């Protein structure tokens, strides 16, 4: 069985970060400021991508107890290379707004 993984963000909604969230700005119309929202930031579809995603945050793919990520430990260059500048930029925007990030492996 292979491994796939994702990094999710959980934090307070504000209209100026709606475009950085998973479902697009229209889906967040009417969400009040400060409401808690959850969004996938990075999605790794293969074992190699999943391991690299975890490594970009300084954790192991199955290093249990360390899947709450510290955004200050993120290797933005590695994330941008693997997932694109847009996703890395969205991550930075959400991090600057106090979102928390979690690595979730599935394998």
């Amino acid at each position: 069985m292979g491994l796939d993984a994702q990094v999710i963000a959980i934090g307070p909604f504000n209209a100026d970060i709606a475009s950085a969230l998973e479902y697009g700005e229209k889906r967040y119309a009417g969400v009040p400021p400060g409401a808690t929202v959850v969004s996938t930031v990075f999605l790794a579809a293969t074992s190699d991508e999943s391991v690299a995603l975890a490594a970009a945050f300084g954790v192991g793919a199955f290093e249990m107890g360390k899947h709450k990520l510290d955004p200050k430990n993120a290797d933005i260059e590695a994330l941008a290379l693997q997932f694109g500048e847009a996703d890395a930029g969205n991550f930075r925007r959400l991090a600057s707004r106090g979102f928390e990030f979690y690595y979730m492996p599935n394998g």
Side-chain angles (χ1 to χ4, degrees), residues 3-9 22 39-54 57 79 82-84 87-88 91 102-106:
L3 171 65
D4 60 68
Q6 61 187 328
V7 168
I8 63 166
E22 183 172 9
S39 185
T40 300
V41 183
F42 300 109
L43 184 60
T46 69
S47 295
D48 288 343
E49 287 178 351
S50 300
V51 169
L53 178 57
F57 287 93
L79 292 168
Q82 185 173 356
F83 297 100
D87 286 350
F91 167 76
Y102 298 86
Y103 176 85
M104 295 176 51
N106 180 32

Side-chain angles (χ1 to χ4, degrees), residues 43-104:
L43 184 60
T46 69
S47 295
D48 288 343
E49 287 178 351
S50 300
V51 169
L53 178 57
F57 287 93
V59 298
F62 282 104
E63 193 173 359
M64 301 308 172
K66 293 195 176 185
H67 288 148
K68 181 176 180 185
L69 304 173
D70 184 342
K72 290 180 256 168
N73 292 339
D75 181 340
I76 298 296
E77 279 188 35
L79 292 168
L81 283 173
Q82 185 173 356
F83 297 100
E85 290 291 336
D87 286 350
N90 289 339
F91 167 76
R92 285 191 300 263
R93 287 177 62 199
L94 297 175
S96 74
R97 293 309 207 118
F99 274 67
E100 294 183 337
F101 300 90
Y102 298 86
Y103 176 85
M104 295 176 51

